[in-house]
Structures are given as C-alpha cells and as structure tokens.
C-alpha cells in the first residue's frame, strides 16, 4: 500500500511540474526585434554645368633650342686661347672657341698669293702694249694687292679679248686657288656663333686635332625647348603660340612656356604627335625634367569630377529624396585623376566623395557643416544653480 501511495504521489508531482512548466513557457512574452534603419552620411555636391578647360598633361626634359656640335675640318695642334676650353666656360658671340696651329698652312697660302701677284705683274707690259685701255685698272689692282690681307676681287672683264688674255695666262685659276686656301685657313679658328656656354669639351690645349674629330658642344642657355608626345586625338587642337604652364617634379616652381612648333606627322608606332614647348628662365638648365599642362580645348555644358566617382557602365551615384540612385552620363575626357562629363542636368545632387559599399536604393543623409549652417548654443549652469540642486 505504501508503494502504491508513493507511486501515485510521484506521478502527481511530475504532472504538476509539467503543467507549471507549460504555464511558465506560455506566460513569457518575447518582443519582436525591430530592425534599425541605417542611414549613412555622405558628402554631396550640386551640379552646375559650365565651361571646362581640358588640360593635357605631358612631361619631358629640356634641350637647348640653339645647340652646336663642334667638329674640326682641318688637322693641327690645339693652341691655347684667351679662355680655357672647358665645360661651363662662357663665350660671347664672335669670341674664339678653338684655335688650331696653322703656321704651315699659312705659309703655303702666302706662297700661292705671291704666285698670283707675280702672274699679274708678268702680263702688265703686254697689257700696256696690246690693251692700253684696260691696263690702268689692272695696274690699280696690282698696287692694292697686299699679301697680309684678304685677296681682293679681280677686275671685271670688259671684253672677250681681255677675258681670253687674262684666263690664258692662268691668272683666274691662280686667283680662285688663293681664295680656296683663304677659306680653308679660316677653318683653323672656330668662333662662337652666338653668346652661350660650353657644355662638353673633348680636347685640351696641346692635343693633336684630326679632321672630322668632334671637339665639344656649345649651347645658348637663354632659350630651351621641351619635346612632348601628345595623343593624335588632340592633334587638331594644339596651336602654335598656345601658352603652357610647366612645373618641376616637386611641384614647387612653375615656369611659363609657349608651343613653338608642332610636328606635321603622327608617329605610326605610338599614334602620338610631337609638340615642342619653348621656355625661357635663368633658373633652367639643360636636361631638367619638367611637367607641362597643355590647354587643348574648352568643353561647354560639362562638369569635372574625380575618376573614382564614375562607376562601370558610365554611371554616377545621385541622391534623390535621401536615397541613392544611378544616372547614365557621357564621359568626354579622362585624365589621371579627373573625368569630364556631359549630360548631367543642373541642380542634380551627386556624391562628391566615394562611399564604400554604395548601391542603388541605399538610405543616405547629406552631410551638413554645422559651423556653416548655424551654430547651436548651450547654456552652462552657474555655481548658484549647482548648489540649489544639491540642496534639493
């Protein structure tokens, strides 16, 4: 009997426990989770179409516009001059750059001049007898003949008989032989064709110079040119005389230049056209590497934005009623960091900075600068108010 009573009590306890547990479960209320709406703050800008200047970046190194490579046409010993023939040495226009010993050649020239003088003197008696009307001008020429000066031009032949007589005596051939030697003698001295500086010197005083040997390079440091390669798409836009702004690689100095020449042909391998920018500045040196910005054209009714704001498929994000949307645009020019767009209506609100993970339909809120929109003021409690609050 005792076992039966204990069994019945155990069953009742289990049933009661199950009933109580069920009631507890049913009485517990779980609130439904409310999904929070995430609104992202974005930087925006309002579109206002206008004229955008398309600037083509280019770079290159400076080369002197006037540059002369010095070569020797004669052979001899390089003699020292008033100035050392060294790189960096400046010479004024007409000053002697190089002087080669021409003593031996000069002696040969004097001998040829003496032969010409003797030939003319030998025919003077015959001229006075056979051609007394022309002997006076030849006597005058003979009297003005100076062995230490340049040979004067022969008198004009007034008749065929005079021409045959003078030519038959070998005077004309002797004259041109002398003029040829005089021209050759001038090549023993090389003078500066313009004021400039020597940038390369390959010989020194006392060394033997051979015909055809390169002696150095001479430049004018006042005017430089920079050769740049531009895409063929802008071949028709480049104009001679167009102003150009150049800057160094550190972007700390700027120089003003101008397009001096544009090549008439396009490189078949690179499909580029070569333009030459002329620049003048005392601080410039040959070989300096500069960057140039060429004003190619002006694009009307367009805007310029960062390239990272342009999505694939020529689309950009716009804000409409606090929701992101996409708009089709027409890119007309790409640079390294910027892109020029058309077909964007005025007043359209676009993103001014990229938003990570942005998508069409995203809830956004334009950023407002409180300092500009109007400052909000808050009153600071005084010490009396604080004591009153503590007393209460």
């Amino acid at each position: 009997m005792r076992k039966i009573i204990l069994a019945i009590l155990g069953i009742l306890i289990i049933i009661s426990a199950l009933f109580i547990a069920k009631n507890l479960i049913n009485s517990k209320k779980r609130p439904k989770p409310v999904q929070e709406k995430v609104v992202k703050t974005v930087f925006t800008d309002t579109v206002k179409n206008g004229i955008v200047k398309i600037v083509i970046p280019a770079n290159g190194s400076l080369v002197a516009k006037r540059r002369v490579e010095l070569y020797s046409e004669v052979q001899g010993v390089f003699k020292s001059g008033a100035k050392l023939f060294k790189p960096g040495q400046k010479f004024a226009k007409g000053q002697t750059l190089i002087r080669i010993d021409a003593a031996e050649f000069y002696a040969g020239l004097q001998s040829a001049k003496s032969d010409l003088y003797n030939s003319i003197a030998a025919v003077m008696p015959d001229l006075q007898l056979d051609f007394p009307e022309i002997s006076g001008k030849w006597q005058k020429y003979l009297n003005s003949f100076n062995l230490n000066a340049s040979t004067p031009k022969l008198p004009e032949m007034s008749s065929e008989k005079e021409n045959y007589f003078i030519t038959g005596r070998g005077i004309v051939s002797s004259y041109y032989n002398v003029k040829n030697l005089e021209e050759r003698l001038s090549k023993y001295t090389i003078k500066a064709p313009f004021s400039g500086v020597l940038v390369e010197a390959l010989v020194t005083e006392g060394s033997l110079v051979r015909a055809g040997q390169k002696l150095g390079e001479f430049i004018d440091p006042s005017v430089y040119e920079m050769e740049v390669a531009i895409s063929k798409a802008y071949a028709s836009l480049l104009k001679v005389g167009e102003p150009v702004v150049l800057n160094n690689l550190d972007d700390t100095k700027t120089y003003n230049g101008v397009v001096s020449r544009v090549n008439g042909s396009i490189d078949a391998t690179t499909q580029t056209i070569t333009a030459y920018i002329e620049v003048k500045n005392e601080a410039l040196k040959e070989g300096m590497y500069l960057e140039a910005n060429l004003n190619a054209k002006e694009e009307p009714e367009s805007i310029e934005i960062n390239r990272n704001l342009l999505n694939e498929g020529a689309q950009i994000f716009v804000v409409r009623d606090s929701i992101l949307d996409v708009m089709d645009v027409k890119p007309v020019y790409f640079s390294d960091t910027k892109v020029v767009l058309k077909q964007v209506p005025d007043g359209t609100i676009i993103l001014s900075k990229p938003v990570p993970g942005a998508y069409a339909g995203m809830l956004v809120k334009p950023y407002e600068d409180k300092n500009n929109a109007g400052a909000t003021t808050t009153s600071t409690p005084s010490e009396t108010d604080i004591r009153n609050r503590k007393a209460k």
Side-chain angles (χ1 to χ4, degrees), residues 254-300:
T254 58
Y255 309 97
N256 295 323
V258 64
V259 178
S260 59
R261 291 177 289 130
V262 178
N263 200 338
S265 63
I266 295 176
D267 193 331
T269 56
T270 60
Q271 290 297 295
T272 57
I273 188 170
T274 304
Y276 298 88
I277 302 171
E278 181 179 313
V279 57
K280 299 178 182 180
N281 196 288
E282 295 180 355
L284 297 175
K285 300 292 182 183
E286 189 176 58
M288 285 182 64
Y289 196 83
L290 298 179
E291 295 178 344
N293 295 315
L294 299 171
N295 295 321
K297 63 179 296 189
E298 293 182 349
E299 194 68 44

Side-chain angles (χ1 to χ4, degrees), residues 71-77 99-102 105 183-190 208-213 215:
Y71 285 89
S72 174
E73 298 183 51
V74 295
Q75 180 172 320
V77 177
R99 190 161 58 92
I100 300 174
D101 187 10
F105 188 85
E183 183 65 25
R184 190 73 175 172
L185 179 64
S186 65
K187 299 183 184 298
Y188 280 82
T189 301
I190 301 177
L208 177 62
V209 176
R210 294 178 173 83
Q213 180 180 351
L215 307 177

Side-chain angles (χ1 to χ4, degrees), residues 15-122:
I15 293 173
S16 299
L18 291 175
F19 181 76
I20 293 171
K22 186 177 180 182
N23 289 335
L24 291 174
I25 292 173
N26 293 333
S27 64
K28 189 175 181 181
K29 295 181 180 180
R30 294 181 178 177
K32 294 182 179 180
V34 179
Q35 186 176 2
E36 296 181 359
K37 292 183 179 180
V38 178
V39 181
K40 209 159 195 176
T41 303
V42 295
F43 293 90
T44 60
D45 197 3
T46 303
V47 172
K48 185 177 181 181
N49 286 279
I51 298 176
V52 177
K53 290 185 178 181
I54 294 180
V55 179
I56 305 172
N59 49 62
S61 56
L62 293 180
V63 177
K65 187 175 183 179
R66 291 201 292 178
R67 184 186 193 90
V68 177
E69 291 186 349
L70 304 175
Y71 285 89
S72 174
E73 298 183 51
V74 295
Q75 180 172 320
V77 177
F78 184 10
K79 297 183 68 176
S80 59
K83 292 185 177 182
L84 291 176
F85 190 76
K86 297 292 183 181
Q89 184 67 57
K90 294 182 179 180
F91 292 88
K93 182 179 180 179
Q95 278 190 324
T96 301
L97 293 172
I98 296 172
R99 190 161 58 92
I100 300 174
D101 187 10
E104 183 178 353
F105 188 85
Y106 180 75
L109 172 61
Q110 294 299 93
S111 176
K113 281 185 178 183
S114 179
D115 291 341
L116 175 61
Y117 181 85
N118 293 336
S119 298
I120 298 174

Side-chain angles (χ1 to χ4, degrees), residues 280-326:
K280 299 178 182 180
N281 196 288
E282 295 180 355
L284 297 175
K285 300 292 182 183
E286 189 176 58
M288 285 182 64
Y289 196 83
L290 298 179
E291 295 178 344
N293 295 315
L294 299 171
N295 295 321
K297 63 179 296 189
E298 293 182 349
E299 194 68 44
E301 294 299 319
S302 57
I303 62 172
E304 186 179 43
I305 64 172
N306 292 329
R307 287 190 63 169
N308 54 10
L309 295 176
L310 183 66
N311 303 326
E312 295 182 2
Q315 292 180 332
I316 61 172
F317 282 116
V318 298
V319 179
R320 292 180 178 147
D321 298 330
S322 300
I323 297 176
L324 274 187
D325 198 0
V326 291

Side-chain angles (χ1 to χ4, degrees), residues 231-245:
S231 174
K232 67 175 183 178
Y234 304 100
S236 60
L237 303 177
L238 288 176
K239 297 179 181 179
V240 176
E242 187 77 19
V244 182
V245 177

Side-chain angles (χ1 to χ4, degrees), residues 157-175:
M157 308 293 183
S158 57
S159 65
E160 289 187 2
K161 289 183 180 180
E162 180 186 3
N163 187 22
Y164 292 150
F165 182 83
I166 297 298
T167 305
R169 300 299 190 278
I171 295 176
V172 175
S173 61
S174 297
Y175 168 77

